[in-house]
């Protein structure tokens, strides 16, 4: 990560453009002289430094390794020698130059070193689509050759004017002719090969021909990753864009850990820093155009003859001491960082500077100016040669946004994922950093946490949701008490075996697994059809899935390195741990829970207390001044006595009710007596605790039967079953009934497989007792190997759940079916596997071979068992427990002080939970609820302390969710909700006041102004209405890309500032009786807020216009005319109609659309004076106020209409015409 809090940081080194290195949200670190570099390293490291190939290097090896400095230097120099003899284009006898001297079709057998670099280069050429291309050498050599004639440029003016010396010698005339010829070459080639316009793709025909020859696909052929040949004689290989990184990797391989290697601005670290801190590397800011010009002049004074200049290094060290840093990069074991810049070599032409870098796609040199990309820094979790190649590819893109678009996919779609990048252009400056959707930058999170005091948080339950919530709350300054009714922690989480889902994880990237948000969310929604999979909750689950996996990996060192594709999934995304050193399986749930508990005991003993054997019997609550309740603590039963424990927040993390006959009888009586995989502790107490205080329950009848609960042949009637992990079927296990026939795609959804067993399989017979329907699960030898032989041994030999069969005949005897039927079943399966599709079950994924000739088979009896309860307490995307609310703008509101996470909640999984989403849900929403509960004690009641517009008033806000604005209309609009810093905090705004919102996109700060639709006294959130089409402006780019957890900045601005107090409505010191609203498009936003405030007002005090209006036909106190260009611009139509229905004497709405849809029955066209007279208010009266909001042209037109109808200027407010109006009573 890029860490800008650099005070007191000790640097291990710097990265810059190789000496072969706009946004208001970007904060530069302190200048280099204020930071310490290599302090006390002499005590921790043996350091070797020097210069090789004109580039400085520094190598540090920990003193604990006992390696001597001369040994380190010998290793380093030996690698450099190998690199020069193999990969250097400057060494005439190097292996790469031998390749370049080959004739077309000649074959060269590569050395291991060249082979590794060439294979990697070929791979990067492909995945960057030619942005990195080592075969660009011919065109680069061409430009260098033409630029190597200094007289060509310096003589261009005199040659064009025809000037020559009288009586010149033949030699002089010959030289003059050569100069004129060179000038023509410059005109033909260089003028069309130099450009500052990214859209200008003009190059000469000769350059185009060279470009076609200078592409990997047309230049070289590699066979068997061992032999290389040229496809044409001019093909030339230049590996300088990757060789430096490879050399660093080679040195790292040969040195003991921990060590640090830096050469020419590229860095790799291995192992942990001996001091215990992370490794720190500073990124130097590239030189300005003025500095480059001065350095070119200095190079000329030192004897360099242009137009190609290598910037003089004579005073480099002195200048670098005061140069600015762009960032401080934090590196961990195995990380590499590489930097490419535009000013290693400078070509001067016609008063402009050009870089030595060529765009492989356009075949031209890059101009050094204010707008083009000046520096690309890439951090890679893997070999430095890949970081080197990616930074080279990025700088060749010229435009920062194009470089970002090229690099971003490699965060998740590459086996050596990019950990970070920084792209810099001088104008602004414009700086683009890797932005992971839904991740709040560390420094902003720390700043946000400064605004609240430490809270006391009680967590009920100690499964994964409970411990995740506790740790996150403690990290947010809370004092946490965990109450667990059992005598040990873990709950059902400790029994989990399948793993935890996550898309876009580092593990997926390293395994080249392609997965994305669309697939994950589609799979989750599709699995839950028939129940509620709330889009906001599923989006939060999806966005935070990779961060959750990485949190477990990085914070707790849990090795989630094995990834499987389970039933219902479109990709491999379920993470679990590999077998231990003995090859035995590692139950992932138990590993996670034991590791987290150990972390709490070791590092959180002063922040988190765990009390086992403590059952919560009641939630304590009190009624606030506004009549709403707040949870204040719990009643606890322990060792036969009861006591009360008070807290600022309570989190329910008690799990489901899979073993509770009471709730099951109440909601799913048909499942009474069905086996369960749950522990007997899964009694659903949290659901009952929440219900008692008014929590809304959803999907309580949605209970998942896992298709494969083991039937133990020695104890077949036991109601508690051991779970046959999903991975058994994911490894190739097939299901047959007692007739020996397959009947389902084993990798389909759990609900589908379960129903297929219930419909196609006979009941288990145990003597005179009849058990539930069951199937036989068969694993071939290859399936057993995929699943893991130690794991198979555990289930077969230790637990006795699998039985071994030598062949199909023996298997058929055990099953009790006809051998020929079973053989035909296995033969059909084998044939389906060969073509990749099963016509019977539509199965298309076949993990392992299985046929009628298979031997060494194992088989187990399995039966559907109650596994998970999808229903439970309703929560929002902030983990706040919801109660039912009668209202038009929302059916729920949060219960103050109460939060929930995990299986105790509902609304995430719908009718059927997707395998692997249980642990994920616990981790994601446990963390969300933990932080939200911990930040409840805000130091300020309102988010905005100063509601006047000031630059210092910009505060960071976290995105909660994005929602549609209407079921039928409003396709161009979205409601965007942000968390206030605390769940009980208000915005501090007035009714009608708008806010500024800004964020970064591609290194630019985009800003917009929006009217909240939430009321000023709404707790914990602020919502805005925005357009998401082209009419919404540049900031729509951010709205389309941000995800739950993302950060934007918000500021209180101007606006209407309407006051509702003491039964009166006032504006600008004047009492208001009637309000008319004229809204155009998304100008409906402030009107929604006014309608909400007015609705509350008349509930309490009645309609202020009812008793005072003198108009005989208009008794409404609030009237709205809503105009839009088309129906896709409308929003909240259903809500508005419902308000009018419920308040017929107080509110009415009239809608006009210029381009109406089919079947439209309301107004058509633009708002006319007659519309105002009929549907708004007329004639104007003393207590009238008309609010106008829409595009400026709309506001202007409406003002003209009001003037024409006799309204006075003080009787209207136009958002476009007035910026800030103070509201005074």
């Amino acid at each position: 990560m890029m860490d800008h809090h650099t005070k007191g940081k000790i640097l291990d080194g710097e990265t810059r453009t190789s000496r072969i290195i706009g946004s208001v949200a970007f904060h530069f670190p302190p200048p280099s002289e204020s930071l310490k570099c290599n302090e006390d390293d002499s005590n921790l490291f043996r350091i070797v430094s020097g210069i090789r190939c004109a580039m400085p290097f520094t190598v540090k090896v920990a003193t604990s390794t006992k390696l001597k400095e001369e040994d380190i230097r010998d290793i380093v120099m030996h690698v450099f020698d190998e690199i020069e003899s193999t990969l250097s284009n400057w060494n005439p006898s190097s292996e790469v130059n031998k390749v370049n001297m080959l004739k077309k079709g000649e074959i060269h057998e590569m050395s291991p070193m060249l082979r590794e670099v060439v294979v990697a280069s070929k791979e990067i050429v492909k995945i960057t689509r030619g942005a990195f291309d080592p075969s660009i050498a011919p065109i680069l050599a061409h430009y260098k050759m033409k630029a190597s004639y200094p007289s060509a440029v310096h003589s261009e003016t005199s040659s064009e004017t025809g000037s020559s010396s009288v009586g010149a010698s033949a030699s002089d005339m010959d030289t003059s002719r050569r100069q004129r010829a060179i000038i023509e070459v410059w005109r033909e080639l260089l003028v069309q090969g130099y450009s500052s316009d990214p859209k200008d793709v003009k190059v000469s025909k000769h350059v185009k021909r060279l470009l076609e020859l200078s592409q990997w696909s047309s230049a070289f052929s590699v066979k068997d990753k061992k032999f290389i040949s040229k496809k044409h004689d001019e093909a030339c290989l230049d590996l300088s864009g990757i060789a430096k990184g490879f050399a660093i990797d080679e040195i790292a391989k040969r040195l003991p850990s921990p060590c640090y290697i830096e050469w020419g601005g590229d860095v790799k670290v291995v192992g942990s820093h001996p001091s215990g801190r992370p490794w720190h590397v500073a990124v130097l800011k590239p030189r300005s155009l003025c500095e480059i010009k001065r350095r070119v002049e200095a190079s000329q004074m030192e004897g360099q003859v242009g137009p190609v200049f290598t910037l003089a290094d004579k005073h480099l060290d002195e200048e670098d001491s005061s140069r600015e840093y762009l960032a401080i990069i934090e590196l961990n074991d195995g990380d590499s960082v590489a930097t490419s810049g535009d000013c290693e070599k400078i070509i001067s032409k016609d008063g402009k500077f050009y870089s030595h870098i060529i765009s492989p796609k356009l075949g031209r040199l890059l101009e050094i100016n204010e707008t083009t990309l000046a520096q690309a820094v890439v951090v890679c979790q893997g070999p430095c040669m890949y970081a080197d190649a990616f930074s080279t590819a990025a700088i060749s893109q010229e435009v920062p946004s194009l470089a970002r678009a090229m690099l971003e996919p490699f965060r998740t779609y590459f086996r050596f994922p990019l950990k970070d990048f920084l792209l810099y252009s001088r104008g602004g400056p414009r700086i683009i950093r890797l932005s992971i959707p839904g991740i709040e930058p560390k420094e902003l999170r720390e700043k946000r946490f400064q605004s609240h005091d430490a809270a006391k948080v009680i967590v009920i339950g100690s499964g994964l949701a409970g411990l995740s919530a506790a740790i996150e709350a403690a990290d947010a300054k809370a004092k946490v008490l965990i109450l667990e009714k059992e005598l040990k922690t873990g709950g059902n989480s400790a029994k989990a075996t399948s793993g935890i889902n996550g898309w876009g994880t580092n593990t997926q990237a390293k395994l080249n697994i392609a997965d994305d948000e669309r697939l994950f969310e589609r799979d989750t929604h599709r699995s839950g059809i028939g129940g509620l999979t709330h889009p906001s909750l599923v989006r939060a689950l999806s966005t935070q899935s990779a961060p959750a996996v990485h949190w477990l990996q990085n914070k707790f060192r849990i090795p989630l390195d094995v990834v499987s594709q389970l039933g219902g999934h479109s990709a491999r995304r379920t993470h679990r741990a590999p077998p231990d050193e003995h090859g035995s399986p590692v139950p992932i749930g138990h590993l996670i829970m034991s590791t987290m508990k150990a972390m709490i005991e070791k590092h959180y003993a002063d922040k988190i207390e765990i009390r086992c054997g403590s059952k919560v019997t009641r939630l304590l609550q009190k009624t606030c001044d506004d009549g709403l309740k707040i949870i204040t603590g719990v009643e606890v039963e322990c060792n036969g006595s009861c006591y009360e424990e008070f807290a600022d927040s309570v989190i329910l993390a008690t799990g489901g009710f899979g073993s509770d006959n009471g709730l099951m009888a109440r909601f799913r009586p048909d499942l009474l007596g069905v086996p369960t995989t749950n522990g007997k502790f899964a009694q659903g107490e949290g659901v009952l605790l929440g219900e008692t205080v008014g929590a809304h329950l959803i999907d309580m009848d949605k209970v998942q039967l896992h298709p494969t609960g083991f039937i133990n042949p020695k104890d077949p009637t036991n109601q508690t079953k051991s779970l046959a992990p999903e991975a058994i079927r994911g490894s190739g296990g097939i299901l047959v009934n007692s007739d020996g026939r397959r009947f389902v795609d084993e990798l389909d959804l759990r609900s589908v497989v379960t129903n297929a067993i219930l419909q196609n399989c006979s009941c288990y017979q145990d003597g005179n007792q009849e058990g539930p329907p069951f199937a036989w699960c068969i694993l071939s030898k290859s399936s057993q190997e995929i699943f893991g032989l130690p794991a198979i041994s555990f289930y077969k030999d230790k637990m006795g759940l699998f039985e071994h069969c030598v062949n199909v005949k023996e298997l058929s005897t055990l099953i009790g079916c006809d051998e020929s039927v079973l053989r035909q079943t296995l033969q059909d399966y084998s044939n389906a596997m060969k073509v990749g599709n099963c016509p019977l079950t539509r199965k298309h994924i076949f993990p392992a071979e299985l046929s009628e000739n298979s031997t060494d088979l194992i088989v187990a009896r399995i039966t559907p068992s109650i596994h998970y309860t999808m229903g439970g307490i309703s929560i929002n995307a902030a983990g706040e427990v919801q109660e039912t609310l009668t209202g038009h703008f929302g059916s729920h509101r949060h219960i103050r002080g109460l939060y929930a996470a995990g299986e105790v909640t509902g609304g995430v999984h719908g009718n059927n939970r997707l395998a692997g989403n249980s642990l994920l849900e616990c981790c994601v929403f446990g963390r969300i609820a933990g932080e939200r509960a911990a930040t409840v004690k805000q130091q300020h009641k309102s988010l905005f302390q100063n509601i006047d517009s000031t630059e210092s008033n910009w505060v960071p806000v976290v995105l909660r969710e994005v929602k549609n604005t209407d079921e039928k209309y409003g396709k161009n609009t979205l409601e965007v909700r942000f968390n206030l810093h605390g769940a009980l905090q208000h915005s501090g705004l007035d009714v009608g006041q708008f806010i500024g919102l800004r964020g970064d996109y591609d290194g630019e700060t985009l800003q917009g102004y929006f009217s909240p639709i939430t009321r000023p006294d709404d707790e914990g959130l602020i919502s805005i209405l925005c357009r998401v089409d082209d009419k919404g402006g540049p900031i729509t780019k951010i709205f389309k890309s941000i995800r739950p957890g993302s950060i934007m900045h918000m500021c209180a601005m101007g606006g209407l500032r309407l006051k509702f107090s003491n039964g009166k409505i006032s504006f600008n010191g004047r009492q208001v009786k009637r309000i008319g609203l004229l809204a155009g498009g998304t100008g409906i936003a402030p009107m929604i807020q006014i309608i909400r405030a007015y609705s509350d007002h008349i509930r309490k005090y009645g309609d202020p216009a009812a008793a005072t209006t003198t108009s005989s036909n208009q008794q409404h106190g609030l009237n709205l005319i809503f105009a839009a260009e088309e129906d896709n611009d409308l929003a909240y139509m259903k809500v508005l109609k419902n308000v009018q229905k419920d308040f017929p004497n107080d509110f009415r709405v009239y809608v006009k659309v210029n381009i109406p849809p089919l079947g439209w029955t309301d107004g058509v066209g633009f708002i006319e004076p007659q519309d105002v007279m009929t549907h708004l208010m007329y004639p104007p009266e003393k207590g009238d106020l008309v609010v106008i909001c829409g595009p400026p042209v709309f506001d202007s037109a409406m003002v003209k209409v009001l003037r024409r109808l006799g309204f006075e200027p003080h009787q209207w407010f136009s958002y476009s015409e007035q910026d800030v109006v103070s509201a005074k009573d």
Side-chain angles (χ1 to χ4, degrees), residues 1114 1116 1118-1120 1140 1146-1150 1174-1176:
Q1114 292 188 343
H1116 302 82
L1118 186 65
N1119 304 288
L1120 166 67
Q1140 179 176 262
D1146 306 296
F1147 171 73
R1148 65 179 173 180
V1149 57
Y1150 179 64
T1174 305
H1175 300 287
L1176 199 68

Side-chain angles (χ1 to χ4, degrees), residues 1070 1180-1181 1184-1186 1202-1203 1205-1213:
R1070 182 173 64 90
E1181 299 179 357
D1184 289 349
L1185 174 66
V1186 180
L1202 295 179
R1203 288 184 187 276
L1205 294 176
F1207 284 84
E1208 297 293 332
H1210 72 272
Q1211 291 181 303
W1212 72 72
F1213 176 88

Side-chain angles (χ1 to χ4, degrees), residues 51-66:
I51 296 178
R52 189 63 182 259
C53 300
M55 296 181 290
F57 69 85
T58 299
V59 177
K60 301 190 287 187
V61 179
T63 54
S64 60
T65 64
K66 308 301 182 183

